Short mmCIF file of all heavy atoms in Angstrom, two decimals:
data_model
loop_
_atom_site.label_atom_id
_atom_site.label_comp_id
_atom_site.label_asym_id
_atom_site.label_seq_id
_atom_site.Cartn_x
_atom_site.Cartn_y
_atom_site.Cartn_z
N ARG X 70 0.91 0.05 -8.75
CA ARG X 70 0.00 0.64 -7.87
C ARG X 70 -1.37 1.01 -8.58
O ARG X 70 -1.26 1.48 -9.68
CB ARG X 70 0.50 1.89 -7.30
CG ARG X 70 1.49 1.71 -6.08
CD ARG X 70 2.03 3.10 -5.68
NE ARG X 70 2.81 3.08 -4.47
CZ ARG X 70 4.10 2.77 -4.34
NH1 ARG X 70 4.71 2.56 -5.46
NH2 ARG X 70 4.68 2.76 -3.23
N ILE X 71 -2.46 0.77 -7.96
CA ILE X 71 -3.70 1.36 -8.41
C ILE X 71 -4.06 2.54 -7.58
O ILE X 71 -4.46 3.60 -8.16
CB ILE X 71 -4.91 0.27 -8.23
CG1 ILE X 71 -4.68 -0.89 -9.22
CG2 ILE X 71 -6.25 0.94 -8.51
CD1 ILE X 71 -5.76 -1.92 -9.11
N TRP X 72 -3.89 2.44 -6.31
CA TRP X 72 -4.20 3.52 -5.45
C TRP X 72 -3.33 3.43 -4.18
O TRP X 72 -3.09 2.26 -3.67
CB TRP X 72 -5.65 3.46 -5.07
CG TRP X 72 -6.07 4.29 -3.96
CD1 TRP X 72 -6.47 5.58 -3.92
CD2 TRP X 72 -6.24 3.83 -2.60
NE1 TRP X 72 -6.74 6.06 -2.67
CE2 TRP X 72 -6.63 5.02 -1.80
CE3 TRP X 72 -5.93 2.66 -1.88
CZ2 TRP X 72 -6.77 5.02 -0.45
CZ3 TRP X 72 -6.20 2.63 -0.46
CH2 TRP X 72 -6.59 3.75 0.21
N SER X 73 -2.89 4.54 -3.59
CA SER X 73 -2.16 4.51 -2.28
C SER X 73 -2.48 5.78 -1.61
O SER X 73 -2.63 6.87 -2.29
CB SER X 73 -0.74 4.20 -2.55
OG SER X 73 -0.04 5.37 -3.11
N ILE X 74 -2.34 5.70 -0.35
CA ILE X 74 -2.50 6.92 0.47
C ILE X 74 -1.66 6.77 1.74
O ILE X 74 -1.53 5.61 2.24
CB ILE X 74 -3.96 7.24 0.89
CG1 ILE X 74 -4.13 8.57 1.53
CG2 ILE X 74 -4.54 6.10 1.70
CD1 ILE X 74 -5.59 8.93 1.66
N ARG X 75 -1.04 7.84 2.30
CA ARG X 75 -0.22 7.78 3.43
C ARG X 75 -1.00 8.29 4.61
O ARG X 75 -1.61 9.37 4.59
CB ARG X 75 1.07 8.53 3.24
CG ARG X 75 1.97 8.42 4.47
CD ARG X 75 3.28 9.14 4.18
NE ARG X 75 4.06 8.43 3.21
CZ ARG X 75 4.85 7.38 3.46
NH1 ARG X 75 4.92 6.91 4.69
NH2 ARG X 75 5.49 6.75 2.54
N ARG X 76 -1.00 7.56 5.74
CA ARG X 76 -1.64 8.00 6.94
C ARG X 76 -0.59 7.78 8.02
O ARG X 76 -0.24 6.69 8.37
CB ARG X 76 -2.87 7.17 7.29
CG ARG X 76 -4.03 7.45 6.44
CD ARG X 76 -4.53 8.88 6.70
NE ARG X 76 -5.65 9.24 5.88
CZ ARG X 76 -5.66 9.96 4.77
NH1 ARG X 76 -4.39 10.30 4.28
NH2 ARG X 76 -6.71 10.30 4.13
N GLY X 77 -0.05 8.93 8.53
CA GLY X 77 1.06 8.78 9.49
C GLY X 77 2.27 8.32 8.81
O GLY X 77 2.69 8.84 7.78
N GLU X 78 2.91 7.35 9.32
CA GLU X 78 4.13 6.78 8.79
C GLU X 78 3.88 5.59 7.84
O GLU X 78 4.82 5.01 7.35
CB GLU X 78 5.09 6.31 9.86
CG GLU X 78 4.58 5.28 10.82
CD GLU X 78 5.39 5.08 12.03
OE1 GLU X 78 6.33 5.83 12.28
OE2 GLU X 78 5.19 3.97 12.68
N VAL X 79 2.60 5.26 7.66
CA VAL X 79 2.31 4.01 6.89
C VAL X 79 1.66 4.46 5.59
O VAL X 79 0.74 5.23 5.54
CB VAL X 79 1.32 3.11 7.67
CG1 VAL X 79 1.06 1.78 6.86
CG2 VAL X 79 1.88 2.73 9.03
N GLU X 80 2.00 3.83 4.44
CA GLU X 80 1.40 3.95 3.14
C GLU X 80 0.54 2.75 2.95
O GLU X 80 0.98 1.60 2.89
CB GLU X 80 2.40 4.03 2.04
CG GLU X 80 1.83 4.23 0.69
CD GLU X 80 2.88 4.12 -0.46
OE1 GLU X 80 3.94 3.62 -0.17
OE2 GLU X 80 2.43 4.51 -1.54
N TYR X 81 -0.79 2.95 2.78
CA TYR X 81 -1.77 1.96 2.50
C TYR X 81 -2.07 2.00 1.03
O TYR X 81 -2.18 3.10 0.43
CB TYR X 81 -3.02 2.15 3.34
CG TYR X 81 -2.81 2.17 4.83
CD1 TYR X 81 -2.57 3.39 5.44
CD2 TYR X 81 -2.88 1.04 5.58
CE1 TYR X 81 -2.37 3.48 6.80
CE2 TYR X 81 -2.65 1.05 7.04
CZ TYR X 81 -2.48 2.27 7.58
OH TYR X 81 -2.29 2.38 8.98
N GLY X 82 -2.39 0.83 0.39
CA GLY X 82 -2.69 0.87 -0.96
C GLY X 82 -3.17 -0.41 -1.60
O GLY X 82 -3.19 -1.48 -0.94
N LEU X 83 -3.46 -0.35 -2.82
CA LEU X 83 -3.99 -1.47 -3.61
C LEU X 83 -3.21 -1.58 -4.89
O LEU X 83 -2.88 -0.54 -5.58
CB LEU X 83 -5.45 -1.23 -3.93
CG LEU X 83 -6.21 -2.29 -4.81
CD1 LEU X 83 -6.33 -3.53 -3.92
CD2 LEU X 83 -7.64 -1.77 -5.17
N ARG X 84 -2.84 -2.78 -5.26
CA ARG X 84 -2.03 -3.05 -6.43
C ARG X 84 -2.90 -3.84 -7.50
O ARG X 84 -3.86 -4.51 -7.06
CB ARG X 84 -0.71 -3.62 -6.14
CG ARG X 84 0.20 -2.66 -5.38
CD ARG X 84 1.54 -3.31 -5.06
NE ARG X 84 2.33 -2.28 -4.35
CZ ARG X 84 3.24 -1.47 -4.80
NH1 ARG X 84 3.42 -1.55 -6.16
NH2 ARG X 84 3.87 -0.66 -4.18
N ALA X 85 -2.36 -3.92 -8.68
CA ALA X 85 -3.22 -4.39 -9.71
C ALA X 85 -3.48 -5.96 -9.82
O ALA X 85 -4.53 -6.37 -10.17
CB ALA X 85 -2.70 -4.04 -11.13
N ILE X 86 -2.45 -6.70 -9.39
CA ILE X 86 -2.63 -8.18 -9.50
C ILE X 86 -2.95 -8.76 -8.18
O ILE X 86 -2.17 -8.77 -7.23
CB ILE X 86 -1.30 -8.76 -10.08
CG1 ILE X 86 -0.87 -8.11 -11.32
CG2 ILE X 86 -1.41 -10.20 -10.23
CD1 ILE X 86 0.49 -8.47 -11.87
N PRO X 87 -4.16 -9.38 -8.08
CA PRO X 87 -4.57 -9.98 -6.84
C PRO X 87 -3.96 -11.35 -6.55
O PRO X 87 -4.62 -12.33 -6.47
CB PRO X 87 -6.10 -10.21 -7.01
CG PRO X 87 -6.29 -10.30 -8.52
CD PRO X 87 -5.21 -9.52 -9.15
N ALA X 88 -2.61 -11.33 -6.46
CA ALA X 88 -1.88 -12.58 -6.34
C ALA X 88 -0.98 -12.54 -5.02
O ALA X 88 -0.07 -13.33 -4.95
CB ALA X 88 -0.99 -12.85 -7.46
N GLY X 89 -1.35 -11.75 -4.08
CA GLY X 89 -0.49 -11.62 -2.88
C GLY X 89 -0.67 -10.28 -2.14
O GLY X 89 -1.63 -9.53 -2.50
N ALA X 90 0.07 -10.02 -1.22
CA ALA X 90 0.03 -8.76 -0.45
C ALA X 90 1.32 -8.65 0.36
O ALA X 90 2.12 -9.65 0.44
CB ALA X 90 -1.16 -8.69 0.55
N PHE X 91 1.58 -7.50 0.94
CA PHE X 91 2.79 -7.37 1.71
C PHE X 91 2.72 -6.28 2.78
O PHE X 91 2.02 -5.34 2.60
CB PHE X 91 4.07 -7.18 0.81
CG PHE X 91 4.08 -5.92 0.07
CD1 PHE X 91 4.57 -4.71 0.61
CD2 PHE X 91 3.54 -5.87 -1.24
CE1 PHE X 91 4.56 -3.57 -0.06
CE2 PHE X 91 3.48 -4.69 -1.97
CZ PHE X 91 4.13 -3.55 -1.41
N VAL X 92 3.42 -6.53 3.86
CA VAL X 92 3.63 -5.52 4.91
C VAL X 92 5.13 -5.29 5.08
O VAL X 92 5.90 -6.23 5.08
CB VAL X 92 3.01 -6.04 6.20
CG1 VAL X 92 3.46 -5.10 7.42
CG2 VAL X 92 1.43 -6.05 6.16
N ARG X 93 5.54 -4.03 5.13
CA ARG X 93 6.96 -3.67 5.24
C ARG X 93 7.24 -3.35 6.66
O ARG X 93 6.63 -2.37 7.19
CB ARG X 93 7.30 -2.57 4.32
CG ARG X 93 7.11 -2.94 2.80
CD ARG X 93 7.68 -1.79 1.96
NE ARG X 93 9.06 -1.72 2.04
CZ ARG X 93 9.86 -0.82 1.28
NH1 ARG X 93 9.13 0.03 0.51
NH2 ARG X 93 11.15 -0.74 1.41
N ILE X 94 8.15 -3.99 7.24
CA ILE X 94 8.59 -3.76 8.65
C ILE X 94 10.07 -3.44 8.63
O ILE X 94 10.84 -4.15 7.99
CB ILE X 94 8.31 -4.98 9.59
CG1 ILE X 94 6.83 -5.44 9.54
CG2 ILE X 94 8.79 -4.71 10.98
CD1 ILE X 94 6.55 -6.68 10.23
#
C-alpha cells in the first residue's frame, strides 16, 4: 500500500506497482 482510506464500507487506495488493480466483492 502507498495510501488507503475508508469511506463507508469500502477501502479505497493506491498500491506501489502499476501492474493491475482489484475490486473485492
Side-chain angles (χ1 to χ4, degrees):
R70 280 177 172 86
I71 291 178
W72 166 85
S73 72
I74 188 170
R75 182 175 292 277
R76 287 292 179 265
E78 62 188 14
V79 183
E80 182 189 12
Y81 303 89
L83 181 67
R84 292 177 181 269
I86 304 174
F91 64 89
V92 169
R93 297 184 70 178
I94 305 172

